[in-house]
Amino acid sequence: MRPALTIIRDEHRTISAVLHALKDLARAAQEPGARPAFAALRAMVRYIDEFPEKLHHPKEDDLLARLVVRAPETRALADSLRQEHAEGARLVRELERALLFFEDSANEGEFLAAVNAYAEFHWQHMRKEEQELLPLAERILGPTDWLALDAAFEANPDFEKQFTRIVNLAPEPVGLGARP
Ligand SMILES: [Fe+2]
Ligand SMILES: [Fe+2]
């Protein structure tokens, strides 16, 4: 498989792990007497904003644009995925807002709902990319496309480092950090 496609799949696995951890922590914060792990929650929401939304999706947008140039019949799929990238950015703003409310006024129910909405949305989005987009890209794109895409996807050195930071911050059993 092309390096760019392998990296997209790897990034999906990492994003998925953060979404699972975020859901677990948000659910744990609902328990009576729980002391929410705000530092870890903030790190996770920031990670989602910085990596999937600001790095992963824009690089996929480049792949989508190249795909449509080579095979105009892929436009409908490309348009729907681009629309989902815009929707993802909007849902992350809601996630950030809900976390602020949670910290300010203990509104944990709204935060959990925002977490669940974002996680479900993103899992469905990643499934669609892996099942529909990646096989098409592999078949249709040419060597000059791969040269540019491989270079862009390989230039993401902080992705793993940030993930390690989250695992260290999140309290067990979700991560390796101390209980708040
Ligand atoms: Fe995407
Ligand atoms: Fe993706």
Side-chain angles (χ1 to χ4, degrees):
M1 189 182 283
R2 304 281 177 179
L5 298 185
T6 303
I7 293 169
I8 288 180
R9 284 178 189 277
D10 286 350
E11 289 184 357
H12 283 178
R13 298 295 163 276
T14 311
I15 293 165
S16 181
V18 172
L19 292 177
H20 275 294
L22 181 60
K23 273 186 79 145
D24 284 349
L25 276 192
R27 210 179 304 121
Q30 308 279 300
E31 281 164 23
R35 290 172 61 196
F38 283 121
L41 289 170
R42 276 195 301 268
M44 286 176 187
V45 171
R46 202 176 127 208
Y47 179 91
I48 288 168
D49 182 40
E50 288 185 354
F51 290 94
E53 296 302 331
K54 293 207 179 98
L55 284 172
H56 179 85
H57 289 166
K59 288 182 303 183
E60 288 176 339
D61 284 338
D62 182 24
L63 184 150
L64 291 169
R66 291 170 183 278
L67 195 67
V68 173
V69 168
R70 302 237 175 231
E73 68 275 16
T74 62
R75 180 175 294 280
L77 174 68
D79 283 348
S80 77
L81 289 172
R82 279 191 282 239
Q83 233 164 46
E84 288 177 14
H85 288 168
E87 174 67 359
R90 191 186 67 76
L91 287 174
V92 167
R93 298 282 87 79
E94 293 202 353
L95 203 55
E96 287 171 339
R97 227 184 348 254
L99 181 55
L100 281 177
F101 276 130
F102 181 20
E103 289 203 62
D104 274 359
S105 53
N107 193 346
E108 70 275 6
E110 194 183 319
F111 179 64
L112 182 63
V115 166
N116 286 336
Y118 185 83
E120 287 313 314
F121 167 82
H122 212 140
W123 275 319
Q124 174 273 327
H125 174 73
M126 292 190 289
R127 258 196 307 274
K128 188 159 145 190
E129 287 179 338
E130 296 202 8
Q131 287 171 4
E132 298 180 43
L133 173 65
L134 303 194
L136 271 180
E138 183 142 45
R139 222 173 49 233
I140 290 168
L141 294 180
T144 50
D145 297 316
W146 292 119
L147 214 60
L149 290 167
D150 289 346
F153 271 95
E154 278 166 346
N156 243 2
D158 274 353
F159 207 67
E160 289 301 320
K161 216 162 69 190
Q162 286 287 335
F163 180 67
T164 308
R165 183 171 164 261
I166 285 174
V167 173
N168 287 333
L169 265 177
E172 49 100 10
V174 174
L176 299 171
R179 285 183 180 279

